[in-house]
Amino acid sequence: MAYVFVSDLHLDGSQPRAIEQFVEFLGTQARSARALYVLGDLFETWLGDDLIDAPRARVCQALRSVTASGVPIFVMRGNRDFLLDREFAALTGARLLPDPVVLEIDGVRTLLTHGDLLCTDDRNYQQLRSLVNEPGWRHSLLALSASTRDALAAIARAGSRKHMAQARPSIMDVNLSTVDRVFSAANAQLMIHGHTHRPGVHQHVVDGRRRTRVVLDAWYDGGQCLRVDAGRIDEYRMAGGVRPLADLSESGTAHRAQ
């Protein structure tokens, strides 16, 4: 049985097809997983556990169906749904993960992160990220009315689109020196993240050891998930089937599958 990873689903009522595709995924691929990990941005926005509309409720019910079947689900907050909290976890049966987190997966020390903390060249974004992760700021935001939170979310989305249009593409990708420092500090062999919407497999040599970094794709680009089983890393797409990505050997090295 494989560990399964997805990221950047950005589910929203304005995109019902993406929601239906994810619900289908939860009813098929996720049911045979050893565990499912959602590495941030499950929702396009999450304005608080007290504000769950019908489309979000449908996703939550589908997640609950999977956890009720015995498959554990772990959810990491992303930059879009950083207000996910205990009520969401209780509703879905999922467990919320800190970002980053280091786990042993099939004996491989693995670091999981949404990925935005690696984009250190984008200093304006990092300042915003620090702000929204302050408990006092989050508490103040949740005290606002539903309409005010919704208006602020619309302003934030517009600001994000403007920033992405004006910023150099390179600063919104990961900083490789930061990636190497994170690998070293965590002593991890494998890193899995999303956020950048730039899927791929990357090899790093850190402290004399080869490390593997896998970047997940956004869900709307074909419904991608990553499957890790006995050191083998495969990509599965809802519309395209399975493709091998990499193998991790017992010696701690890795090579990209051909």
Side-chain angles (χ1 to χ4, degrees):
M1 296 175 69
Y3 295 90
V4 177
F5 303 84
V6 295
S7 183
D8 297 277
L9 296 105
H10 296 278
L11 299 178
D12 185 78
S14 65
Q15 300 293 332
R17 182 178 177 185
I19 290 177
E20 292 306 315
Q21 187 181 54
F22 185 59
V23 169
E24 178 187 350
F25 166 80
L26 291 175
T28 54
Q29 293 296 315
R31 291 300 181 99
S32 60
R34 189 167 177 179
L36 171 63
Y37 291 84
V38 181
L39 300 185
D41 286 356
L42 171 60
F43 297 100
E44 173 67 7
T45 58
W46 185 269
L47 302 180
D49 288 359
D50 58 327
L51 301 178
I52 304 178
D53 60 8
R56 289 170 179 80
R58 175 160 170 71
V59 174
C60 290
Q61 290 164 4
L63 291 169
R64 166 58 77 178
S65 178
V66 176
T67 58
S69 75
V71 177
I73 296 178
F74 302 89
V75 177
M76 186 175 285
R77 299 174 180 91
N79 55 294
R80 296 284 187 172
D81 51 13
F82 58 88
L83 290 175
L84 290 170
D85 213 335
R86 289 175 294 181
E87 289 80 2
F88 164 80
L91 180 63
T92 62
R95 284 178 261 179
L96 292 171
L97 289 176
D99 183 5
V101 65
V102 179
L103 306 171
E104 292 284 332
I105 296 180
D106 283 341
V108 176
R109 190 168 173 85
T110 303
L111 185 142
L112 306 177
T113 179
H114 177 53
D116 54 342
L117 62 80
L118 304 171
C119 302
T120 52
D121 290 334
D122 193 344
R123 296 180 181 178
N124 290 335
Y125 174 79
Q126 292 301 323
Q127 291 175 352
L128 176 62
R129 185 180 188 278
S130 296
L131 175 65
V132 301
N133 282 293
E134 290 181 359
W137 188 91
R138 293 157 68 101
H139 179 77
S140 297
L141 180 60
L142 289 170
L144 298 174
S145 68
S147 60
T148 300
R149 277 182 265 170
D150 188 55
L152 289 174
I155 293 171
R157 289 195 299 271
S160 176
R161 289 192 293 269
K162 182 178 179 181
H163 176 64
M164 292 176 64
Q166 293 178 345
R168 298 193 315 274
S170 60
I171 75 168
M172 289 182 289
D173 202 354
V174 301
N175 177 288
L176 295 179
S177 295
T178 300
V179 170
D180 289 351
R181 286 197 298 272
V182 170
F183 260 129
S184 181
N187 191 29
Q189 179 187 345
L190 174 65
M191 182 186 300
I192 304 173
H193 72 83
H195 180 67
T196 64
H197 299 193
R198 299 179 183 187
V201 178
H202 307 271
Q203 304 297 338
H204 302 255
V205 177
V206 182
D207 300 331
R209 292 176 55 201
R210 181 171 292 181
R211 324 288 180 119
T212 300
R213 178 170 61 95
V214 183
V215 186
L216 292 162
D217 203 356
W219 184 258
Y220 53 73
D221 283 334
Q224 183 220 42
C225 76
L226 197 71
R227 304 199 304 197
V228 179
D229 187 12
R232 181 182 179 89
I233 305 174
D234 295 325
E235 173 194 70
Y236 173 81
R237 289 183 181 270
M238 294 287 286
V242 179
R243 180 171 70 97
L245 290 182
D247 285 319
L248 301 173
S249 72
E250 294 180 357
S251 63
T253 60
H255 66 272
R256 184 166 181 169
Q258 301 297 315

mmCIF file of all heavy atoms in Angstrom, residues 22-63:
data_model
loop_
_atom_site.group_PDB
_atom_site.id
_atom_site.type_symbol
_atom_site.label_atom_id
_atom_site.label_comp_id
_atom_site.label_asym_id
_atom_site.label_seq_id
_atom_site.Cartn_x
_atom_site.Cartn_y
_atom_site.Cartn_z
ATOM 1 N N PHE A 22 -12.000 15.582 -7.339
ATOM 2 C CA PHE A 22 -11.350 15.227 -6.078
ATOM 3 C C PHE A 22 -12.221 14.251 -5.294
ATOM 4 O O PHE A 22 -11.699 13.310 -4.674
ATOM 5 C CB PHE A 22 -11.074 16.482 -5.257
ATOM 6 C CG PHE A 22 -10.296 16.217 -3.996
ATOM 7 C CD1 PHE A 22 -9.043 15.627 -4.046
ATOM 8 C CD2 PHE A 22 -10.822 16.545 -2.758
ATOM 9 C CE1 PHE A 22 -8.317 15.369 -2.888
ATOM 10 C CE2 PHE A 22 -10.109 16.299 -1.596
ATOM 11 C CZ PHE A 22 -8.854 15.711 -1.662
ATOM 12 N N VAL A 23 -13.511 14.453 -5.298
ATOM 13 C CA VAL A 23 -14.407 13.513 -4.620
ATOM 14 C C VAL A 23 -14.277 12.124 -5.243
ATOM 15 O O VAL A 23 -14.254 11.100 -4.533
ATOM 16 C CB VAL A 23 -15.864 14.025 -4.671
ATOM 17 C CG1 VAL A 23 -16.830 12.937 -4.205
ATOM 18 C CG2 VAL A 23 -16.018 15.280 -3.818
ATOM 19 N N GLU A 24 -14.169 12.073 -6.564
ATOM 20 C CA GLU A 24 -13.962 10.789 -7.241
ATOM 21 C C GLU A 24 -12.640 10.161 -6.811
ATOM 22 O O GLU A 24 -12.558 8.955 -6.551
ATOM 23 C CB GLU A 24 -13.968 10.990 -8.760
ATOM 24 C CG GLU A 24 -13.707 9.706 -9.540
ATOM 25 C CD GLU A 24 -13.555 9.946 -11.036
ATOM 26 O OE1 GLU A 24 -13.831 11.066 -11.496
ATOM 27 O OE2 GLU A 24 -13.141 8.994 -11.733
ATOM 28 N N PHE A 25 -11.599 10.985 -6.735
ATOM 29 C CA PHE A 25 -10.282 10.513 -6.288
ATOM 30 C C PHE A 25 -10.370 9.935 -4.870
ATOM 31 O O PHE A 25 -9.806 8.872 -4.572
ATOM 32 C CB PHE A 25 -9.293 11.669 -6.343
ATOM 33 C CG PHE A 25 -8.003 11.428 -5.621
ATOM 34 C CD1 PHE A 25 -6.990 10.690 -6.202
ATOM 35 C CD2 PHE A 25 -7.797 11.955 -4.346
ATOM 36 C CE1 PHE A 25 -5.797 10.463 -5.524
ATOM 37 C CE2 PHE A 25 -6.608 11.744 -3.675
ATOM 38 C CZ PHE A 25 -5.609 10.994 -4.265
ATOM 39 N N LEU A 26 -11.082 10.620 -3.994
ATOM 40 C CA LEU A 26 -11.220 10.149 -2.622
ATOM 41 C C LEU A 26 -11.973 8.819 -2.561
ATOM 42 O O LEU A 26 -11.701 7.980 -1.692
ATOM 43 C CB LEU A 26 -11.940 11.190 -1.773
ATOM 44 C CG LEU A 26 -11.170 12.479 -1.487
ATOM 45 C CD1 LEU A 26 -12.050 13.483 -0.746
ATOM 46 C CD2 LEU A 26 -9.891 12.215 -0.696
ATOM 47 N N GLY A 27 -12.889 8.621 -3.492
ATOM 48 C CA GLY A 27 -13.661 7.388 -3.511
ATOM 49 C C GLY A 27 -12.962 6.230 -4.186
ATOM 50 O O GLY A 27 -13.427 5.084 -4.097
ATOM 51 N N THR A 28 -11.838 6.490 -4.840
ATOM 52 C CA THR A 28 -11.125 5.430 -5.572
ATOM 53 C C THR A 28 -9.682 5.306 -5.075
ATOM 54 O O THR A 28 -9.381 4.476 -4.226
ATOM 55 C CB THR A 28 -11.151 5.709 -7.083
ATOM 56 O OG1 THR A 28 -10.643 7.047 -7.344
ATOM 57 C CG2 THR A 28 -12.576 5.615 -7.624
ATOM 58 N N GLN A 29 -8.792 6.131 -5.584
ATOM 59 C CA GLN A 29 -7.368 6.026 -5.272
ATOM 60 C C GLN A 29 -7.084 6.156 -3.775
ATOM 61 O O GLN A 29 -6.261 5.411 -3.225
ATOM 62 C CB GLN A 29 -6.587 7.095 -6.039
ATOM 63 C CG GLN A 29 -6.575 6.902 -7.542
ATOM 64 C CD GLN A 29 -5.859 5.640 -7.946
ATOM 65 O OE1 GLN A 29 -4.790 5.327 -7.443
ATOM 66 N NE2 GLN A 29 -6.457 4.900 -8.867
ATOM 67 N N ALA A 30 -7.736 7.088 -3.113
ATOM 68 C CA ALA A 30 -7.445 7.316 -1.698
ATOM 69 C C ALA A 30 -7.857 6.138 -0.828
ATOM 70 O O ALA A 30 -7.258 5.892 0.231
ATOM 71 C CB ALA A 30 -8.139 8.592 -1.221
ATOM 72 N N ARG A 31 -8.869 5.392 -1.251
ATOM 73 C CA ARG A 31 -9.371 4.294 -0.423
ATOM 74 C C ARG A 31 -8.359 3.162 -0.279
ATOM 75 O O ARG A 31 -8.436 2.381 0.684
ATOM 76 C CB ARG A 31 -10.667 3.742 -1.022
ATOM 77 C CG ARG A 31 -11.848 4.685 -0.937
ATOM 78 C CD ARG A 31 -12.194 5.036 0.504
ATOM 79 N NE ARG A 31 -13.335 5.921 0.584
ATOM 80 C CZ ARG A 31 -14.561 5.530 0.842
ATOM 81 N NH1 ARG A 31 -14.816 4.246 1.036
ATOM 82 N NH2 ARG A 31 -15.539 6.415 0.919
ATOM 83 N N SER A 32 -7.439 3.051 -1.217
ATOM 84 C CA SER A 32 -6.441 1.976 -1.150
ATOM 85 C C SER A 32 -5.084 2.479 -0.639
ATOM 86 O O SER A 32 -4.096 1.747 -0.687
ATOM 87 C CB SER A 32 -6.255 1.341 -2.536
ATOM 88 O OG SER A 32 -5.799 2.311 -3.479
ATOM 89 N N ALA A 33 -5.036 3.711 -0.147
ATOM 90 C CA ALA A 33 -3.778 4.285 0.329
ATOM 91 C C ALA A 33 -3.471 3.829 1.747
ATOM 92 O O ALA A 33 -4.375 3.533 2.542
ATOM 93 C CB ALA A 33 -3.839 5.810 0.288
ATOM 94 N N ARG A 34 -2.195 3.802 2.060
ATOM 95 C CA ARG A 34 -1.785 3.578 3.448
ATOM 96 C C ARG A 34 -2.077 4.811 4.283
ATOM 97 O O ARG A 34 -2.426 4.718 5.449
ATOM 98 C CB ARG A 34 -0.297 3.242 3.483
ATOM 99 C CG ARG A 34 0.212 2.778 4.817
ATOM 100 C CD ARG A 34 1.592 2.163 4.669
ATOM 101 N NE ARG A 34 2.142 1.775 5.945
ATOM 102 C CZ ARG A 34 3.329 1.189 6.086
ATOM 103 N NH1 ARG A 34 4.068 0.930 5.004
ATOM 104 N NH2 ARG A 34 3.780 0.864 7.284
ATOM 105 N N ALA A 35 -1.918 5.982 3.656
ATOM 106 C CA ALA A 35 -2.285 7.261 4.267
ATOM 107 C C ALA A 35 -2.311 8.290 3.156
ATOM 108 O O ALA A 35 -1.595 8.177 2.156
ATOM 109 C CB ALA A 35 -1.300 7.673 5.355
ATOM 110 N N LEU A 36 -3.155 9.308 3.328
ATOM 111 C CA LEU A 36 -3.249 10.410 2.371
ATOM 112 C C LEU A 36 -2.764 11.682 3.052
ATOM 113 O O LEU A 36 -3.206 12.019 4.149
ATOM 114 C CB LEU A 36 -4.696 10.595 1.907
ATOM 115 C CG LEU A 36 -4.989 11.849 1.061
ATOM 116 C CD1 LEU A 36 -4.224 11.824 -0.258
ATOM 117 C CD2 LEU A 36 -6.492 11.997 0.816
ATOM 118 N N TYR A 37 -1.847 12.388 2.377
ATOM 119 C CA TYR A 37 -1.318 13.653 2.866
ATOM 120 C C TYR A 37 -1.707 14.765 1.900
ATOM 121 O O TYR A 37 -1.429 14.674 0.693
ATOM 122 C CB TYR A 37 0.212 13.589 2.975
ATOM 123 C CG TYR A 37 0.710 12.678 4.071
ATOM 124 C CD1 TYR A 37 0.833 11.299 3.851
ATOM 125 C CD2 TYR A 37 1.051 13.180 5.324
ATOM 126 C CE1 TYR A 37 1.282 10.458 4.854
ATOM 127 C CE2 TYR A 37 1.503 12.342 6.329
ATOM 128 C CZ TYR A 37 1.620 10.989 6.090
ATOM 129 O OH TYR A 37 2.062 10.157 7.091
ATOM 130 N N VAL A 38 -2.328 15.811 2.423
ATOM 131 C CA VAL A 38 -2.686 17.000 1.644
ATOM 132 C C VAL A 38 -1.734 18.107 2.087
ATOM 133 O O VAL A 38 -1.824 18.602 3.214
ATOM 134 C CB VAL A 38 -4.144 17.410 1.876
ATOM 135 C CG1 VAL A 38 -4.485 18.633 1.017
ATOM 136 C CG2 VAL A 38 -5.099 16.260 1.564
ATOM 137 N N LEU A 39 -0.831 18.526 1.190
ATOM 138 C CA LEU A 39 0.250 19.430 1.577
ATOM 139 C C LEU A 39 -0.088 20.890 1.283
ATOM 140 O O LEU A 39 0.670 21.614 0.635
ATOM 141 C CB LEU A 39 1.546 19.020 0.880
ATOM 142 C CG LEU A 39 2.031 17.609 1.195
ATOM 143 C CD1 LEU A 39 3.383 17.348 0.553
ATOM 144 C CD2 LEU A 39 2.084 17.344 2.694
ATOM 145 N N GLY A 40 -1.232 21.336 1.748
ATOM 146 C CA GLY A 40 -1.563 22.751 1.669
ATOM 147 C C GLY A 40 -2.447 23.138 0.509
ATOM 148 O O GLY A 40 -2.451 22.513 -0.552
ATOM 149 N N ASP A 41 -3.215 24.202 0.725
ATOM 150 C CA ASP A 41 -4.127 24.758 -0.269
ATOM 151 C C ASP A 41 -5.124 23.727 -0.771
ATOM 152 O O ASP A 41 -5.383 23.605 -1.976
ATOM 153 C CB ASP A 41 -3.353 25.392 -1.433
ATOM 154 C CG ASP A 41 -2.708 26.710 -1.044
ATOM 155 O OD1 ASP A 41 -2.919 27.168 0.097
ATOM 156 O OD2 ASP A 41 -1.981 27.290 -1.877
ATOM 157 N N LEU A 42 -5.702 22.994 0.169
ATOM 158 C CA LEU A 42 -6.835 22.132 -0.183
ATOM 159 C C LEU A 42 -7.960 22.983 -0.740
ATOM 160 O O LEU A 42 -8.622 22.602 -1.713
ATOM 161 C CB LEU A 42 -7.300 21.371 1.065
ATOM 162 C CG LEU A 42 -8.596 20.574 0.958
ATOM 163 C CD1 LEU A 42 -8.495 19.501 -0.117
ATOM 164 C CD2 LEU A 42 -8.954 19.957 2.309
ATOM 165 N N PHE A 43 -8.173 24.151 -0.144
ATOM 166 C CA PHE A 43 -9.214 25.069 -0.591
ATOM 167 C C PHE A 43 -8.598 26.354 -1.138
ATOM 168 O O PHE A 43 -7.530 26.778 -0.702
ATOM 169 C CB PHE A 43 -10.152 25.414 0.565
ATOM 170 C CG PHE A 43 -10.903 24.224 1.105
ATOM 171 C CD1 PHE A 43 -10.480 23.578 2.257
ATOM 172 C CD2 PHE A 43 -12.031 23.756 0.453
ATOM 173 C CE1 PHE A 43 -11.170 22.487 2.756
ATOM 174 C CE2 PHE A 43 -12.732 22.659 0.949
ATOM 175 C CZ PHE A 43 -12.294 22.013 2.104
ATOM 176 N N GLU A 44 -9.274 26.969 -2.071
ATOM 177 C CA GLU A 44 -8.849 28.269 -2.598
ATOM 178 C C GLU A 44 -8.878 29.319 -1.494
ATOM 179 O O GLU A 44 -7.967 30.161 -1.396
ATOM 180 C CB GLU A 44 -9.749 28.676 -3.759
ATOM 181 C CG GLU A 44 -9.513 30.082 -4.294
ATOM 182 C CD GLU A 44 -8.160 30.253 -4.958
ATOM 183 O OE1 GLU A 44 -7.424 29.246 -5.139
ATOM 184 O OE2 GLU A 44 -7.804 31.393 -5.304
ATOM 185 N N THR A 45 -9.896 29.267 -0.666
ATOM 186 C CA THR A 45 -9.954 30.085 0.539
ATOM 187 C C THR A 45 -10.652 29.285 1.627
ATOM 188 O O THR A 45 -11.500 28.434 1.345
ATOM 189 C CB THR A 45 -10.731 31.408 0.323
ATOM 190 O OG1 THR A 45 -12.064 31.108 -0.112
ATOM 191 C CG2 THR A 45 -10.050 32.304 -0.698
ATOM 192 N N TRP A 46 -10.284 29.575 2.845
ATOM 193 C CA TRP A 46 -10.980 29.016 4.010
ATOM 194 C C TRP A 46 -11.052 30.156 5.016
ATOM 195 O O TRP A 46 -10.044 30.530 5.618
ATOM 196 C CB TRP A 46 -10.235 27.821 4.577
ATOM 197 C CG TRP A 46 -10.959 27.127 5.691
ATOM 198 C CD1 TRP A 46 -10.847 27.394 7.029
ATOM 199 C CD2 TRP A 46 -11.923 26.077 5.567
ATOM 200 N NE1 TRP A 46 -11.675 26.563 7.753
ATOM 201 C CE2 TRP A 46 -12.341 25.738 6.878
ATOM 202 C CE3 TRP A 46 -12.462 25.379 4.481
ATOM 203 C CZ2 TRP A 46 -13.286 24.732 7.124
ATOM 204 C CZ3 TRP A 46 -13.393 24.390 4.728
ATOM 205 C CH2 TRP A 46 -13.792 24.065 6.034
ATOM 206 N N LEU A 47 -12.231 30.715 5.184
ATOM 207 C CA LEU A 47 -12.393 31.933 5.975
ATOM 208 C C LEU A 47 -12.683 31.659 7.441
ATOM 209 O O LEU A 47 -12.983 32.581 8.196
ATOM 210 C CB LEU A 47 -13.503 32.789 5.369
ATOM 211 C CG LEU A 47 -13.280 33.201 3.908
ATOM 212 C CD1 LEU A 47 -14.440 34.039 3.404
ATOM 213 C CD2 LEU A 47 -11.969 33.949 3.757
ATOM 214 N N GLY A 48 -12.575 30.398 7.843
ATOM 215 C CA GLY A 48 -12.810 30.018 9.222
ATOM 216 C C GLY A 48 -13.673 28.777 9.292
ATOM 217 O O GLY A 48 -14.499 28.526 8.403
ATOM 218 N N ASP A 49 -13.484 27.998 10.345
ATOM 219 C CA ASP A 49 -14.264 26.775 10.500
ATOM 220 C C ASP A 49 -15.748 27.051 10.703
ATOM 221 O O ASP A 49 -16.580 26.140 10.583
ATOM 222 C CB ASP A 49 -13.736 25.983 11.700
ATOM 223 C CG ASP A 49 -12.385 25.341 11.435
ATOM 224 O OD1 ASP A 49 -11.845 25.490 10.319
ATOM 225 O OD2 ASP A 49 -11.864 24.674 12.353
ATOM 226 N N ASP A 50 -16.091 28.292 11.023
ATOM 227 C CA ASP A 50 -17.495 28.652 11.230
ATOM 228 C C ASP A 50 -18.192 29.044 9.940
ATOM 229 O O ASP A 50 -19.390 29.314 9.939
ATOM 230 C CB ASP A 50 -17.601 29.798 12.238
ATOM 231 C CG ASP A 50 -16.827 31.036 11.806
ATOM 232 O OD1 ASP A 50 -15.771 30.888 11.144
ATOM 233 O OD2 ASP A 50 -17.264 32.158 12.127
ATOM 234 N N LEU A 51 -17.451 29.086 8.832
ATOM 235 C CA LEU A 51 -18.037 29.506 7.550
ATOM 236 C C LEU A 51 -17.781 28.424 6.505
ATOM 237 O O LEU A 51 -16.820 28.474 5.743
ATOM 238 C CB LEU A 51 -17.419 30.835 7.092
ATOM 239 C CG LEU A 51 -17.580 32.029 8.034
ATOM 240 C CD1 LEU A 51 -16.861 33.250 7.463
ATOM 241 C CD2 LEU A 51 -19.052 32.338 8.262
ATOM 242 N N ILE A 52 -18.661 27.436 6.473
ATOM 243 C CA ILE A 52 -18.509 26.327 5.530
ATOM 244 C C ILE A 52 -19.732 26.291 4.626
ATOM 245 O O ILE A 52 -20.839 25.964 5.074
ATOM 246 C CB ILE A 52 -18.347 24.984 6.263
ATOM 247 C CG1 ILE A 52 -17.158 25.045 7.231
ATOM 248 C CG2 ILE A 52 -18.155 23.853 5.260
ATOM 249 C CD1 ILE A 52 -16.970 23.773 8.032
ATOM 250 N N ASP A 53 -19.537 26.629 3.364
ATOM 251 C CA ASP A 53 -20.646 26.607 2.424
ATOM 252 C C ASP A 53 -20.847 25.191 1.883
ATOM 253 O O ASP A 53 -20.125 24.249 2.239
ATOM 254 C CB ASP A 53 -20.420 27.611 1.294
ATOM 255 C CG ASP A 53 -19.157 27.333 0.486
ATOM 256 O OD1 ASP A 53 -18.525 26.261 0.694
ATOM 257 O OD2 ASP A 53 -18.790 28.179 -0.348
ATOM 258 N N ALA A 54 -21.836 25.012 1.006
ATOM 259 C CA ALA A 54 -22.187 23.678 0.511
ATOM 260 C C ALA A 54 -21.041 22.994 -0.238
ATOM 261 O O ALA A 54 -20.784 21.801 -0.012
ATOM 262 C CB ALA A 54 -23.439 23.762 -0.361
ATOM 263 N N PRO A 55 -20.315 23.688 -1.153
ATOM 264 C CA PRO A 55 -19.207 23.007 -1.838
ATOM 265 C C PRO A 55 -18.115 22.539 -0.881
ATOM 266 O O PRO A 55 -17.604 21.417 -1.013
ATOM 267 C CB PRO A 55 -18.692 24.073 -2.806
ATOM 268 C CG PRO A 55 -19.856 24.979 -3.044
ATOM 269 C CD PRO A 55 -20.560 25.036 -1.733
ATOM 270 N N ARG A 56 -17.753 23.363 0.085
ATOM 271 C CA ARG A 56 -16.727 22.957 1.053
ATOM 272 C C ARG A 56 -17.237 21.825 1.937
ATOM 273 O O ARG A 56 -16.475 20.915 2.296
ATOM 274 C CB ARG A 56 -16.279 24.164 1.882
ATOM 275 C CG ARG A 56 -15.443 25.163 1.086
ATOM 276 C CD ARG A 56 -15.211 26.456 1.847
ATOM 277 N NE ARG A 56 -14.395 27.389 1.093
ATOM 278 C CZ ARG A 56 -14.845 28.171 0.119
ATOM 279 N NH1 ARG A 56 -16.137 28.145 -0.204
ATOM 280 N NH2 ARG A 56 -14.029 28.982 -0.537
ATOM 281 N N ALA A 57 -18.513 21.881 2.287
ATOM 282 C CA ALA A 57 -19.102 20.802 3.077
ATOM 283 C C ALA A 57 -19.047 19.476 2.322
ATOM 284 O O ALA A 57 -18.812 18.417 2.927
ATOM 285 C CB ALA A 57 -20.543 21.151 3.440
ATOM 286 N N ARG A 58 -19.256 19.525 1.001
ATOM 287 C CA ARG A 58 -19.188 18.302 0.196
ATOM 288 C C ARG A 58 -17.791 17.700 0.260
ATOM 289 O O ARG A 58 -17.626 16.481 0.389
ATOM 290 C CB ARG A 58 -19.585 18.607 -1.246
ATOM 291 C CG ARG A 58 -19.421 17.411 -2.186
ATOM 292 C CD ARG A 58 -20.251 17.570 -3.436
ATOM 293 N NE ARG A 58 -19.947 16.584 -4.448
ATOM 294 C CZ ARG A 58 -20.253 15.293 -4.373
ATOM 295 N NH1 ARG A 58 -20.866 14.833 -3.312
ATOM 296 N NH2 ARG A 58 -19.939 14.468 -5.354
ATOM 297 N N VAL A 59 -16.772 18.545 0.177
ATOM 298 C CA VAL A 59 -15.394 18.057 0.269
ATOM 299 C C VAL A 59 -15.135 17.458 1.650
ATOM 300 O O VAL A 59 -14.548 16.374 1.781
ATOM 301 C CB VAL A 59 -14.398 19.193 -0.016
ATOM 302 C CG1 VAL A 59 -12.959 18.727 0.210
ATOM 303 C CG2 VAL A 59 -14.560 19.703 -1.450
ATOM 304 N N CYS A 60 -15.597 18.142 2.683
ATOM 305 C CA CYS A 60 -15.396 17.657 4.046
ATOM 306 C C CYS A 60 -16.082 16.308 4.262
ATOM 307 O O CYS A 60 -15.527 15.400 4.907
ATOM 308 C CB CYS A 60 -15.902 18.679 5.056
ATOM 309 S SG CYS A 60 -14.904 20.193 5.148
ATOM 310 N N GLN A 61 -17.281 16.149 3.727
ATOM 311 C CA GLN A 61 -17.993 14.884 3.862
ATOM 312 C C GLN A 61 -17.251 13.757 3.144
ATOM 313 O O GLN A 61 -17.197 12.620 3.642
ATOM 314 C CB GLN A 61 -19.406 15.030 3.311
ATOM 315 C CG GLN A 61 -20.309 15.914 4.168
ATOM 316 C CD GLN A 61 -21.562 16.357 3.438
ATOM 317 O OE1 GLN A 61 -21.822 15.959 2.290
ATOM 318 N NE2 GLN A 61 -22.351 17.203 4.091
ATOM 319 N N ALA A 62 -16.681 14.073 1.987
ATOM 320 C CA ALA A 62 -15.919 13.058 1.240
ATOM 321 C C ALA A 62 -14.652 12.668 1.983
ATOM 322 O O ALA A 62 -14.258 11.489 1.998
ATOM 323 C CB ALA A 62 -15.588 13.577 -0.157
ATOM 324 N N LEU A 63 -14.006 13.640 2.633
ATOM 325 C CA LEU A 63 -12.831 13.328 3.452
ATOM 326 C C LEU A 63 -13.228 12.446 4.631
ATOM 327 O O LEU A 63 -12.533 11.473 4.963
ATOM 328 C CB LEU A 63 -12.185 14.619 3.949
ATOM 329 C CG LEU A 63 -11.510 15.501 2.897
ATOM 330 C CD1 LEU A 63 -11.167 16.868 3.486
ATOM 331 C CD2 LEU A 63 -10.246 14.837 2.356
#
